[in-house]
């Protein structure tokens, strides 16, 4: 008799909307309301369609090897929109030159000896130091470490500065000195635990028969040809109601208090808001500790160009080593990755500014950010005048998985079980990637559904 039961989900990003969808699939009769603080759905997902360009302001795609999101997309009937990324090369801008990422690098970690031996990214001394990974004893002893400590001890500082740091700090908008090995890259902790050497461990994992190995003609990401906004719009058809401009101020068991003081009752409440909201919404110390966890501010700048105004570049994009002293941290040639991103004879370039150590650029005006980003881009590849640009800021809104993140999340989740009928999901908890958000949403929906079914059994 779940038709009388009400569920409130807080936050209409991918996490909240995916949870609504999973819950409806499990308990179709439950009444689901999503409360969203802003005036739009999608959270960090936002797609702009302009003059034939499809511009992603937040995420642009998701990893094929993590299946949760692909499964969800197929379940909601969007599989005809799925598109693989192009298989173009990725570069690193280091020592004033674009250099190809050596073949076999995984998250910037070299795993093949020949490409590593021949790359111009690392000096001969740096290569010898990296090879010492074959001999060095275990670095990870079951106690969390920063990514910098782990990789520098295993592979040396040069591989970290020239390969691993530009890539990882770009992907996670974080500082390697703070980021948790266990929470961010648990696979490397597991490889080291089993094989000791990363190079040997990664080699033994490589198998031509690996099911998730992408075809050579495509990259390792998927996206939707309608833009990722299409995903959240389809998911938004599952809840019974979505109330925009409705910030939640606090949560107690069975009760949600809105910013305007109104109180709503619910049988189950699911928190899927952004990181800084956890403490204020749930007034207990473990939630506050998450609120005070590090967050960073970044911005993306998308530039639309005529093809003739863009110098030659054959890759998908590049990341920039910190030592280069540029403001931009990475640059994607979006239509090389996703053919649908720009109309014929045009190019869409997206660049990223703001780091965990210095995000002051994000506070500048649009005109200033555009000028700084364009000047940096032009030091690397010849560019004319853009047709237009789109700037998107994430202010204090990018969660950082710092050392011992998993332990803090465990403490938070243990404390949350003491608040009857309140559950949490979202990028702050078990992975920031879209597939991670979908997997966490599925788990949370299952927990909430089990709770509601048990409650029904007691009520009747
Ligand atoms: C620039 C950028 C590029 C990225 N690229 C990729 C990528 O290519 N691939 C990938 O997998 N991931 C990528 N990510 C990460 C991914 O986009 C996010 O981790 C994910 O979208 C987070 O979803 P979420 O629903 O957990 O949180 P959010 O999207 O932050 O949604 C939370 C929602 O809760 C609402 N909210 C907050 N407080 C309240 C309140 N008190 N009451 C009501 N509502 C509230 C917010 O307004 C928001 O809409 C990227 C992120 C960014 C910013």
């Amino acid at each position: 008799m779940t038709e009388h039961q009400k569920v409130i989900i807080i936050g209409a990003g991918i996490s909240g909307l995916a949870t609504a969808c999973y819950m409806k699939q499990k308990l179709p009769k439950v009444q689901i309301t999503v409360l969203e603080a802003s005036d739009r759905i999608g959270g960090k997902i936002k797609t702009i369609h302009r003059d034939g360009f499809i511009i992603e302001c937040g995420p642009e795609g998701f990893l094929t090897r993590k299946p949760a999101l692909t499964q969800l997309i197929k379940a909601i009937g969007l599989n005809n929109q799925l598109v693989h990324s192009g298989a173009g090369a990725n570069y690193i801008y280091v020592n004033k030159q674009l250099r190809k990422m050596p073949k076999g690098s995984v998250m910037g970690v070299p795993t093949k000896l020949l490409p590593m031996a021949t790359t111009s990214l690392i000096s001969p001394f740096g290569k010898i130091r990296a090879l010492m990974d074959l001999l060095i004893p275990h670095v990870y002893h079951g106690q969390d470490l920063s990514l910098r400590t782990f990789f520098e001890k295993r592979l040396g500082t040069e591989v970290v500065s020239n390969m691993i740091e530009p890539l990882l700090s770009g992907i996670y908008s974080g500082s390697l000195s703070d980021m948790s090995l266990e929470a961010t890259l648990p696979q490397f902790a597991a490889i080291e635990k089993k094989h000791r050497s990363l190079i040997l461990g990664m080699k033994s994992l490589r198998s031509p028969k690996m099911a998730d190995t992408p075809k050579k003609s495509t990259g390792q990401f998927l996206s939707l040809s309608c833009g990722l906004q299409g995903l959240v719009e389809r998911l938004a058809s599952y809840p019974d109601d979505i109330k925009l401009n409705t910030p939640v101020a606090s949560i107690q068991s069975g009760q949600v208090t809105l910013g305007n003081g109104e109180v709503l009752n619910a049988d189950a409440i699911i928190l899927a808001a952004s990181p800084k909201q956890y403490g204020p919404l749930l007034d207990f110390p473990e939630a506050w500790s998450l609120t005070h966890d590090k967050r960073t501010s970044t911005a993306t700048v998308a530039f639309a160009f005529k093809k003739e105004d863009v110098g030659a570049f054959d890759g998908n994009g590049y990341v920039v080593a910190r030592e280069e002293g540029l403001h931009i941290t990475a640059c994607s040639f979006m239509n090389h990755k996703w053919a649908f991103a720009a109309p014929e004879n045009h190019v869409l370039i997206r660049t990223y500014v703001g780091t965990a150590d210095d995000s002051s650029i994000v506070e500048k005006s649009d005109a200033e950010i555009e000028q700084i980003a364009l000047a940096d881009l032009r030091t690397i590849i010849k560019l004319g005048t853009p047709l237009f640009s789109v700037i998107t800021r994430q202010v204090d809104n990018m969660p950082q998985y710092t050392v011992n993140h998993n332990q803090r999340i465990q403490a938070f989740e243990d404390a949350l079980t003491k608040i009857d009928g309140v559950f949490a999901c979202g990028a702050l908890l078990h992975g920031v990637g879209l597939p991670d958000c979908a997997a966490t949403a599925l788990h949370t929906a299952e927990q909430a559904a089990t709770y509601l079914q048990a409650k029904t059994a007691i009520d009747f």
Side-chain angles (χ1 to χ4, degrees), residues 87-390:
N90 292 305
Y91 288 77
I92 303 188
Y93 186 68
V94 69
N95 297 331
K96 310 279 173 252
Q97 255 186 38
L98 282 175
R99 295 158 202 267
K100 252 189 198 162
M101 185 70 95
K103 276 204 176 116
S105 309
V106 177
M107 295 286 191
V109 178
T111 66
K112 283 189 175 172
L113 292 178
L114 189 62
M116 182 60 187
T118 52
T119 181
S120 62
L121 268 170
I122 310 291
S123 70
F125 173 78
K127 289 173 188 172
I128 293 166
R129 173 61 188 85
L131 283 175
M132 284 171 65
D133 167 72
L134 298 168
L135 307 171
I136 287 172
H138 286 278
V139 168
Y140 172 67
H141 300 283
Q143 186 81 39
D144 201 9
L145 298 168
S146 75
L147 291 180
R148 184 179 301 286
T149 303
F150 179 71
F151 285 122
E152 283 191 352
K153 283 192 175 173
R154 288 235 63 90
L155 300 162
T157 52
E158 204 178 324
V159 167
V160 170
S161 303
N162 291 3
M163 292 178 65
I164 299 177
E165 181 168 49
L167 202 76
L168 291 186
S169 54
I171 293 174
Y172 295 101
S173 314
S175 157
L176 249 56
S177 307
D178 295 325
M179 282 156 68
S180 153
L181 170 68
E182 288 178 349
T184 319
L185 295 176
Q187 64 273 40
F188 284 99
I191 287 168
E192 211 239 25
K193 203 170 166 192
K194 188 166 175 202
H195 301 271
R196 187 184 49 76
S197 155
L198 295 184
I199 297 173
L200 292 178
M202 295 298 288
K203 192 165 181 265
S204 78
L205 287 183
R206 266 198 311 272
S207 144
K209 287 184 185 157
M210 269 166 68
D212 59 358
T213 304
K215 285 183 214 135
K216 278 203 169 146
S217 56
T218 60
Q220 51 181 331
F221 290 91
L222 282 166
S223 194
L224 296 179
S225 53
C226 57
L228 290 171
Q229 189 77 32
L231 167 62
V232 284
E233 276 163 16
R234 177 64 64 93
L235 289 173
S237 64
Y238 286 84
D240 298 277
D241 192 15
I242 299 180
K243 294 185 192 303
L244 300 178
N245 302 306
T246 309
V248 171
S250 69
I251 301 169
Q252 285 91 36
S253 177
Q255 229 171 50
V256 160
T257 306
L258 302 184
N260 63 8
E262 191 184 338
V263 174
L264 304 178
N265 295 319
D267 297 279
I269 297 164
I270 295 167
L271 174 55
S274 42
K276 58 187 163 193
Q277 298 299 330
Y278 276 64
L281 289 176
L282 288 161
D283 197 5
F284 60 86
E286 294 82 357
W288 277 103
S289 86
L290 294 186
T291 303
H292 296 309
D293 249 11
K294 272 195 141 179
R295 299 182 297 271
T296 47
S297 300
T298 61
T300 61
V301 194
F303 290 106
F305 287 99
K306 283 189 185 151
K307 197 175 178 184
E308 68 218 38
D309 291 330
V310 178
F313 180 66
D314 65 352
N316 276 350
Y318 57 85
V319 292
V320 179
R322 288 284 161 86
E323 286 69 28
E324 298 308 306
L326 298 181
H327 294 88
I328 59 167
T329 54
C331 167
S332 291
F333 275 59
M334 298 298 282
N335 56 306
H336 292 194
K337 277 188 192 170
W338 314 106
F340 59 81
E344 214 179 328
N345 294 322
H346 289 77
V347 177
L348 184 69
I349 291 177
R350 184 163 82 148
T351 189
Y352 305 76
V353 293
T355 66
D357 303 321
D358 182 9
S359 58
S360 53
I361 187 170
V362 180
E363 290 155 27
K364 293 186 186 294
S365 70
D366 281 9
E368 284 173 303
I369 294 178
E370 182 186 316
Q371 199 186 11
I372 293 167
L374 203 50
D376 278 3
L377 290 169
R378 283 177 175 147
T379 63
I380 301 174
I381 288 173
K382 204 169 150 252
L383 294 173
T385 306
L387 298 167
F388 64 85
S389 68
V390 175

Side-chain angles (χ1 to χ4, degrees), residues 11 13-15 36-37 43-44 58-61 248 274 277 398 427 432-434:
I14 178 81
S15 297
E36 167 55 47
K44 294 190 179 76
E60 59 179 270
V248 171
S274 42
Q277 298 299 330
M398 301 290 283
V432 296
L434 297 173

